[in-house]
Amino acid sequence: MGTSGVRFLSLVKPFMFILPEVTSATKKIPVNEKMLWTSIVVFMYLVCCQIPLYGITNTKSSDPFYWMRVILASNKGTLMELGISPIVTSGLVMQLLAGSKIIDVDQGTKEDKTLFQGAQKLLGILITIAESVAYVLSGMYGDIKDLGAGNAILIICQLFTSGIIVICLDELLQKGYGIGSALSPFIATHHCE
C-alpha cells in the first residue's frame, strides 16, 4: 500500500485488546510436557466432539457436509460442528492477501507479525460468527419457526464459544506449549474416531 493511506494492519490495533490470547512460553518446554499439553488439547477436542448442541430439533436429516467433515475435523450436531474451518479459512484468506501484496505485512518486524496474527484471529472469530448464524438460518438444526428465537440464539452462542475454544487450543500449541499446531492432531483424531 505504501506510505500514503492507512495500512490494513493498523485498523486491527483497536481490536487487539479484546482478542483472547495465549502468552508465549517464556522458557523452553520439555518434550514430555509438550506431549502432555498436546494430549490435553486432543482430549478436550474429543470431549467437545461428544457433547451435543442443546436446542437442536433436527439431527436425522442428511448431512450436506458429510464428505468435508474429515478435512474440517467436525462432528454434526456437536460442539465441534464448525471444527477447524474458521481457523483454516482465516489463515488461507490472510495468507492470500499478504502473498498477493493486497495488505502490507513485514513479517520481519515483531509488531507486524503480532498484528497479522491478531488480524487472522479476528477474521477467524468473525468467520465463526458468520458460520454459526448461517448454519442456524439455513435450517441445519431444524426450521427456525420450530426452534424459536431463544434456541436459535443459544445454538449460535454454543457454536461461537466452541469456535473460540478451538482457536485458543490451536494457539496454545503454536505458542510453544505443544507440538506444532492443533489442526493436524484434530484431523487425525477425528479420522480415527
Side-chain angles (χ1 to χ4, degrees):
M1 286 243 206
T3 57
S4 64
V6 178
R7 290 183 63 215
F8 172 75
L9 291 181
S10 63
L11 298 174
V12 177
K13 278 184 186 178
F15 300 102
M16 291 295 286
F17 75 96
I18 62 169
L19 296 176
E21 183 179 3
V22 176
T23 57
S24 296
T26 55
K27 61 181 176 112
K28 183 163 173 53
I29 308 289
V31 175
N32 57 352
E33 193 173 328
K34 284 185 176 190
M35 292 294 288
L36 176 67
W37 279 110
T38 304
S39 300
I40 290 170
V41 166
V42 168
F43 178 74
M44 288 178 68
Y45 168 77
L46 284 172
V47 168
C48 287
C49 281
Q50 299 304 317
I51 299 175
L53 290 168
Y54 177 79
I56 59 176
T57 59
N58 186 9
T59 57
K60 302 288 187 246
S61 65
S62 65
D63 186 8
F65 299 114
Y66 177 77
W67 297 106
M68 291 180 56
R69 296 222 181 259
V70 173
I71 299 167
L72 298 178
S74 64
N75 277 357
K76 183 176 185 210
T78 68
L79 290 176
M80 284 296 119
E81 178 78 56
L82 302 179
I84 60 172
S85 65
I87 298 173
V88 171
T89 307
S90 67
L92 179 69
V93 168
M94 291 301 292
Q95 291 295 331
L96 283 173
L97 291 174
S100 62
K101 305 289 186 214
I102 293 175
I103 60 173
D104 184 27
V105 181
D106 181 10
Q107 291 286 354
T109 64
K110 184 175 180 174
E111 181 184 11
D112 270 14
K113 191 173 182 180
T114 303
L115 287 174
F116 184 77
Q117 290 172 347
Q120 188 171 333
K121 193 184 310 180
L122 181 63
L123 183 60
I125 291 170
L126 293 175
I127 289 171
T128 302
I129 294 169
E131 284 184 0
S132 301
V133 171
Y135 272 47
V136 172
L137 292 180
S138 69
M140 189 139 179
Y141 307 116
D143 191 16
I144 295 290
K145 294 173 188 165
D146 296 337
L147 283 177
N151 273 348
I153 292 170
L154 185 62
I155 292 169
I156 291 170
C157 290
Q158 291 174 82
L159 291 173
F160 173 72
T161 304
S162 63
I164 297 294
I165 289 171
V166 169
I167 289 170
C168 290
L169 290 176
D170 181 50
E171 187 177 13
L172 177 74
L173 295 187
Q174 284 185 1
K175 292 280 179 109
Y177 294 100
I179 298 173
S181 170
L183 303 183
S184 296
F186 287 171
I187 292 170
T189 303
H190 182 266
H191 188 66
C192 293
E193 187 178 21

